[in-house]
Amino acid sequence: MNFTLKVWRQKNAKTKGHFETYQVSNISPDTSFLEMLDILNDQLISEGNDPVAVNKGCKNSGPIAFDHDCREGICGMCSLYINGHPHGPDSLVTTCQLHMRKFKDGDTITIEPWRSAGFPVIKDLVVNRGAFDQILQAGGFISVNTGGAPDANATPIAKDKADESMDAAACVGCGACVATCKNGSAMLFVSARVSSLALLPQGKIEGARRAKAMVAKMDELGFGACTNTQMCQMECPKGITISHIARLNREFLCAKLKD
């Protein structure tokens, strides 16, 4: 398979970015999207080291910087905007789980970083998602006794609540919800983190403080407000739903009423 790639190149957060066009060929349909970018980077490195290519005026800005780690859909680092969709055209997968068979031979693929004031560009396709870490830090910890493992029936939790909590905890913090939201809202991320604990007895002790602190930090870091367009849940690679946003709103309002 052959592709034309329009890739966003930006030296750093202070410089103006632009698109550059590249050609890749003989790509297997079973190649993952990140592996395809690895192949392109090998090609760019080879061209940069080739005196003949340089003498011919071959334009080369060096290898493309992009984030990745586990490549198993767990870490959430592979944050790429592909043809107008966070993580690409496939559903319920991260970029590292996207394969080139989802595209047609000869396609032009546009690759961009997340577009959000809360996620400034570091270089090329890499953005600073440290704001999510600050929101998590604002949420703090839960008060549970350490020591031996408690008996399985010591803290009974209804299965539906446990399942819903685990669904919320599946959030990998990739930022696709922010990137696809017209307001740049982080409500789906924050609500998933709050909801995963609000549904469990262990998370109720600091529940009111957590909801207020995380919402306040989200606002402080410049993320927008939620207007329930539902784009976030449509693009979330883990299928997190906006029902968790409703729970966050309840937790926040109850905390304010207690104050």
Side-chain angles (χ1 to χ4, degrees):
M1 301 179 75
N2 303 322
F3 300 100
T4 299
L5 306 179
K6 294 178 64 178
V7 184
W8 184 259
R9 304 304 304 265
Q10 187 169 339
K11 188 175 181 180
N12 54 52
K14 295 182 179 180
T15 59
K16 187 176 180 180
H18 63 280
F19 282 103
E20 288 189 8
T21 303
Y22 305 99
Q23 305 292 331
V24 290
S25 56
N26 300 320
I27 303 297
S28 167
D30 295 325
T31 301
S32 75
F33 198 87
L34 294 188
E35 288 171 339
M36 183 273 296
L37 288 179
D38 289 335
I39 293 170
L40 173 59
N41 275 343
D42 287 342
Q43 177 180 312
L44 293 175
I45 292 170
S46 297
E47 290 174 355
N49 293 332
D50 183 358
V52 176
V54 172
N55 290 334
K56 287 183 178 180
C58 180
K59 185 179 179 182
N60 191 332
S61 301
I64 300 161
F66 62 94
D67 253 337
H68 62 93
D69 190 8
C70 72
R71 300 203 178 197
E72 295 178 349
I74 298 172
C75 69
M77 290 186 68
C78 54
S79 48
L80 298 180
Y81 213 76
I82 304 165
N83 283 352
H85 294 276
H87 298 297
D90 207 356
S91 300
L92 301 177
V93 299
T94 53
T95 300
C96 62
Q97 297 173 303
L98 177 68
H99 290 81
M100 301 312 296
R101 56 179 170 267
K102 286 295 179 178
F103 302 92
K104 295 178 181 179
D105 186 26
D107 272 358
T108 296
I109 304 174
T110 303
I111 311 169
E112 304 172 72
W114 284 167
R115 304 292 189 181
S116 171
F119 298 148
V121 173
I122 297 175
K123 184 179 180 181
D124 294 341
L125 304 175
V126 181
V127 299
N128 183 353
R129 291 182 294 117
F132 273 9
D133 295 327
Q134 295 182 52
I135 293 173
L136 288 177
Q137 289 169 3
F141 302 92
I142 61 173
S143 296
V144 293
N145 294 326
T146 58
D151 184 82
N153 296 320
T155 309
I157 303 172
K159 186 180 186 303
D160 61 333
K161 296 296 182 184
D163 289 345
E164 195 173 359
S165 175
M166 288 300 292
D167 289 342
C171 170
V172 293
C174 66
C177 52
V178 176
T180 195
C181 177
K182 66 178 183 179
N183 305 321
S185 174
M187 281 289 281
L188 192 66
F189 166 76
V190 175
S191 66
R193 297 306 188 187
V194 168
S195 196
S196 65
L197 293 174
L199 287 159
L200 304 177
Q202 296 91 332
K204 293 191 180 299
I205 299 174
E206 293 89 3
R209 186 206 62 80
R210 180 182 303 108
K212 291 187 295 182
M214 294 182 76
V215 169
K217 180 59 71 172
M218 175 183 66
D219 292 340
E220 176 191 327
L221 294 171
F223 292 100
C226 174
T227 51
N228 287 318
T229 61
Q230 302 185 35
M231 287 300 296
C232 52
Q233 74 173 7
M234 289 179 64
E235 298 290 0
C236 176
K238 297 300 177 182
I240 308 296
T241 68
I242 61 170
S243 63
H244 297 293
I245 295 179
R247 180 171 293 102
L248 170 60
N249 288 335
R250 289 196 297 272
E251 292 286 320
F252 182 80
L253 290 174
C254 288
K256 286 295 187 180
L257 288 173
K258 289 179 181 178
D259 289 346

